């Protein structure tokens, strides 16, 4: 349940179902219980529809070791770069959820908040351009050619 880019979410905001300012943290508090309930209900339905009464083969250590070896052959070992990207994503979620507290600390002399959701969403993304990569020496975790090649700028228009 995300706020960005979803027409129905904007409609909910427009008809007053979510009063006041609409921030990432307020949207998360509004939509997370609904998403969690939908996930649990769909899991239960799928379990009773497809998995009830199935006999599962026991997983032995040998089977798991073989699956792990196949996975490593296919995609490689977990790297420092992947760890850092994951930590930065978690950092972004924390920033967005704590935005009301952060925004109250950064205000103009007239009392206006200077930090909003877009600022806190872009800050970790910019950080990716400055952290060096171990897989690609002398490059950052994220490079502009990679963004230019893989990002669909038509989404922004």
């Amino acid at each position: 349940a995300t706020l960005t880019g979803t027409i129905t979410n904007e409609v909910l905001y427009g008809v007053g179902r979510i009063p006041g300012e609409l921030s990432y943290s307020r949207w998360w508090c509004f939509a997370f219980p609904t998403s969690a309930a939908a996930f649990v209900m769909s899991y239960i339905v799928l379990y009773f529809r497809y998995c009830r009464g199935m006999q599962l083969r026991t997983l032995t250590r040998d089977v798991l070791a073989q699956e792990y070896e196949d996975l490593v052959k296919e995609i490689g070992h977990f790297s420092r770069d992947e760890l850092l990207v994951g930590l930065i994503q978690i950092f972004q979620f924390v920033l967005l959820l704590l935005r009301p507290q952060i925004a109250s600390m950064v205000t103009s002399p007239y009392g206006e908040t200077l930090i909003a959701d877009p600022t806190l969403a872009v800050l970790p993304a910019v950080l990716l351009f400055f952290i060096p990569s171990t897989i690609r020496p002398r490059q950052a975790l994220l490079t502009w050619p990679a963004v230019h090649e893989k990002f669909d700028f038509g989404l922004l228009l």
Side-chain angles (χ1 to χ4, degrees):
T2 63
L3 174 65
T4 56
T6 309
I7 302 299
T8 54
N9 298 346
E10 292 295 328
V11 169
L12 279 176
Y13 178 64
V15 297
R17 296 280 302 189
I18 307 171
E21 180 189 11
L22 184 59
S23 66
Y24 185 85
S25 57
R26 283 185 57 107
W27 178 253
W28 194 84
C29 291
F30 172 79
F32 181 74
T34 306
S35 297
F39 176 77
V40 169
M41 287 189 310
S42 62
Y43 182 83
I44 290 170
V45 167
L46 290 173
Y47 174 80
F48 282 113
R49 175 71 173 104
Y50 296 107
C51 298
R52 191 176 58 175
M54 280 180 57
Q55 294 294 328
L56 297 177
R57 290 179 274 159
T58 57
L59 292 176
T60 63
R61 189 167 185 81
D62 296 333
V63 171
L64 291 175
Q66 183 60 41
E67 285 292 325
Y68 179 73
E69 288 174 17
D70 293 343
L71 182 67
V72 168
K73 283 180 192 173
E74 185 177 333
I75 63 172
H77 289 284
F78 188 71
S79 70
R80 172 191 165 269
D81 292 358
E82 293 167 331
L83 175 68
L84 287 175
V85 169
L87 290 175
I88 289 173
Q89 184 69 56
I90 292 169
F91 176 61
Q92 182 182 34
F93 292 147
V94 169
L95 283 177
L96 287 169
L97 290 175
L98 295 178
R99 195 217 24 114
Q101 291 79 13
I102 295 170
S104 68
M105 292 186 279
V106 183
T107 59
S108 71
Y110 303 108
E112 293 291 322
T113 59
L114 299 175
I115 292 180
D117 286 345
T119 307
L120 296 177
V122 168
L123 181 65
V126 170
L127 192 59
L128 291 172
F129 285 100
F130 293 102
I131 297 176
S133 171
T134 56
I135 294 175
R136 296 180 322 268
R138 296 183 153 176
Q139 289 187 0
L141 289 175
L142 185 61
T143 61
W144 183 249
V147 171
H148 186 66
E149 177 184 320
K150 296 181 181 180
F151 186 72
D152 182 16
F153 285 96
L155 284 172
L156 297 177
L157 303 176

